[in-house]
Structure formats: C-alpha cells, structure tokens
Amino acid sequence: MNRRNFLELAAGGTFAATAGTPSILQAGSRAGEQSMTTETSYALTRPAYVDQSHLVVADLGLVSGFYQSMLGLKVIEKTASGEVLGAGGQPLLTLTTAKNAAIAPRNAAGLFHTAFLMPDRVELARWLRHAAHNNVVLDGASDHLVSEAIYLSDPEGNGIEIYADRPHEQWKFDQDGMVDMATLRLDLQALYDSAPEDRWDGMVAGTAIGHLHLQVGDIPKADAFYRDVLGLKLMASRPGASFFATGGYHHHIAANIWNSRGATARAANMTGLSDYKIRFNDKATLDAAVAKLDELEIRSEKRDGGTFLRDPWGIGLTLSA
C-alpha cells in the first residue's frame, strides 16, 4: 500500500492500530533535525494539568515496545514490575504488569484515551509521517477547531490520541465560558505533506499528556466529582460526555459513557488505567481541592508527595504541586 492510500484509509477510521518496526525515513536526510519549541504548551501553564498516567498491562514487552517504536517514547526508568516512559527526560507514562492482571472488558470504567500533546503542528506532522512509513494503523482523525487530533490504540486496546493545539487566541468561547469544539474531518494528507523530510527521532522535549479521556458510568456523577469536588470547570458538554479543565484550556479531563453507561468501580487487577497525576501550578487551587475532600469526607491519603484518592469508579489520582 502506498502512503497516499494509507492516509486515505486512515482518514476513514477503518483500522485498529498495529505495531511496526522503526526505520530511517529518508536516506541522506538531515538526520536528527527536530523543530525547536521553547514555549511551554498552554495546557501546562494553567492552574492544574495532567502530569503523568499509569497503565496496567498484561504483556509489558509488547506494549512498551509499541510506545517506544510507534510513539517514540523513551524508557526513563525500569522498576521491578514495569517501566517509566517519557520524552525529553520527562516521565509521562508508567507501565506495570502483574501475574494476576485481567484484561478489562470494553464496557468497564477506565481509559477512553491518553492524549499526547505535541509541542507544535510540525511535530504532529512529523509523527504522522513516521506512522505512514511504519505500518501504524489509525482509528481516525479529527479537526476539533481548538486542535488537530489523530487516534489509534495500543496492542491491548488502550486508546491513544496524538494531537497539537491551535493557538489559544484562535479558540472561540461562548458567553458562559464554554469553548467551541467540533468533530470535523482532518485532512491527513495535507498534514502529512507539511512534514519536513528528515529523520524522526521520537517525541521531542515538550511533549506532554495534554488530557485524559475517561470512561465512566454516569455523567452527573462525573460532573459532581470533577467539577464540584476537584474544582475543574465544565468547558464543553456533549450527549453522554463532559469536558473539564482549569484556566480556560479546552479540557484536561473528559468523561463519557459511550461504552460504559452504568459501569461500577474497577476491579483492582484490571488492565488499563490504574491512576494518574494532576499537577497544580497554583498551590491555592491545590489547597482548595484538598480542603473540599476533607469537607465532603472523601477518603484520601498522603502518597508520593501528594494527596491520593479514587474517583467514583475506582480510578486513582494524585493531586500535587
């Protein structure tokens, strides 16, 4: 299949992701050249943002290999039960496994997708060019007005989004403060054609987890937890989904019931999203969130330099500054 046909089919969202083998994309190209972005992504400058995520997997070697070869993450640390992967030396994704790990059913609460935010559109295009040369098969691609996003899945079905934000000054907001988002067709061919013809050396420094999209059992309960308890603002609402953020970002956390309506708390040994970290740039916002937990008598504990708790579906999260 030539690369143009690959992109046409991928744009139709007809594939599930498969792994491939990294290769040199252009012989004689400017090896190692990367776009240099010094500005911190807008998502990370808000009062709070998603810092890291932790997945439990059944086959550590297979899944870790996928995130390394297909997404370009690097191993930062090896532990007794897993690995920590990241970009530019920054930890982003922890993968662990256990003998009793059980594959989570598709309708379980947990992860819808982990969204990796590229520093700029050039890096998104460069990753797409890598995908087209390496048999990475896509689930779909969308123009969300505020961002351009490409979707795929890892070998155990954990959803992944690779995206780049449009400049914040181009976003449109309603009078109530909600942001205008849509799901339009993304021209993958044009994005691919815009990529520099150099060698791709993996995700660059500045890559981050821009947001996490969760599967939950009930939207009003998700609103009550993420908006009313943690203090995130509802930025957009769709049938069966809510999008939350701090500081005017389009969303740091999303929750939907599209596959998981009525889901109850996750079993402790399920594969998929175990927990994640929310980092607060503003200590006053963190203190307010922790005080709300105490006021509502929501169980939490001090762990790893922060406050650990679980959401109504058993997904762990750590709040820290």
Side-chain angles (χ1 to χ4, degrees):
M1 181 186 299
N2 65 42
R3 291 190 292 277
R4 182 169 294 273
N5 286 342
F6 165 89
L7 293 170
E8 289 172 351
L9 289 170
T14 57
F15 287 94
T18 59
T21 303
S23 65
I24 302 301
L25 300 188
Q26 289 286 334
S29 68
R30 299 181 302 278
E33 181 179 331
Q34 300 283 343
S35 66
M36 299 300 292
T37 301
T38 57
E39 185 177 355
T40 301
S41 293
Y42 183 78
L44 308 187
T45 65
R46 306 299 83 207
Y49 61 94
V50 177
D51 188 25
Q52 298 179 42
S53 181
H54 171 201
L55 300 180
V56 174
V57 300
D59 189 328
L60 178 63
L62 177 66
V63 177
S64 178
F66 179 89
Y67 282 99
Q68 291 177 63
S69 63
M70 296 299 97
L71 268 69
L73 298 181
K74 303 290 193 301
V75 176
I76 293 176
E77 179 184 353
K78 289 183 179 289
T79 68
S81 60
E83 297 175 347
V84 179
L85 307 177
Q90 176 64 40
L92 297 176
L93 181 66
T94 297
L95 302 174
T96 60
T97 190
K99 291 181 179 180
N100 67 339
I103 299 295
R106 187 170 182 269
N107 61 351
L111 183 69
F112 190 67
H113 60 240
T114 304
F116 292 93
L117 173 60
M118 308 300 270
D120 53 42
R121 191 176 192 266
V122 172
E123 289 304 320
L124 180 65
R126 183 177 274 117
W127 178 83
L128 177 62
R129 192 170 183 277
H130 164 75
H133 284 257
N134 285 275
N135 299 323
V136 181
V137 195
L138 309 181
D139 294 338
S142 296
D143 180 339
H144 292 304
L145 302 181
V146 295
S147 64
E148 296 172 286
I150 302 169
Y151 298 94
L152 62 155
S153 301
D154 74 17
E156 294 191 1
N158 295 298
I160 298 167
E161 176 181 338
I162 311 291
Y163 78 111
D165 281 331
R166 287 199 168 92
H168 179 254
E169 56 269 20
Q170 295 179 13
W171 303 358
K172 295 182 179 180
F173 293 85
D174 300 329
Q175 289 186 345
D176 60 5
M178 289 195 179
V179 65
D180 287 345
M181 294 195 293
T183 300
L184 308 176
R185 181 182 179 276
L186 178 62
D187 189 340
L188 280 175
Q189 190 65 54
L191 181 62
Y192 173 91
D193 291 341
S194 73
E197 294 190 3
D198 55 9
R199 195 181 79 178
W200 185 79
D201 286 333
M203 287 192 173
V204 297
T207 301
I209 295 180
H211 65 268
L212 281 179
H213 196 143
L214 309 176
Q215 293 193 163
V216 300
D218 180 79
I219 291 302
K221 188 179 291 187
D223 291 349
F225 181 80
Y226 287 98
R227 180 190 60 199
D228 302 336
V229 174
L230 295 188
L232 306 183
K233 178 177 170 53
L234 183 65
M235 295 302 298
S237 182
R238 298 288 184 271
S242 289
F243 300 80
F244 310 95
T246 67
Y249 191 55
H250 52 75
H251 64 296
H252 290 107
I253 299 289
N256 76 61
I257 57 169
W258 299 329
N259 299 319
S260 55
R261 182 188 299 271
T264 56
R266 291 170 53 81
N269 64 333
M270 276 185 180
T271 59
L273 182 64
S274 170
D275 58 271
Y276 60 98
K277 296 181 179 180
I278 296 180
R279 179 79 63 179
F280 287 77
N281 289 318
D282 177 19
K283 190 174 184 301
T285 305
L286 170 60
D287 291 343
V290 173
K292 192 69 173 180
L293 299 179
D294 294 337
E295 175 189 333
L296 298 175
E297 298 183 345
I298 294 175
R299 183 177 178 181
S300 65
E301 61 183 87
K302 298 301 181 183
R303 184 191 297 184
D304 298 330
T307 299
F308 177 85
L309 67 153
R310 295 189 183 276
D311 76 5
W313 297 277
I315 302 168
L317 60 152
T318 301
L319 314 179
S320 64

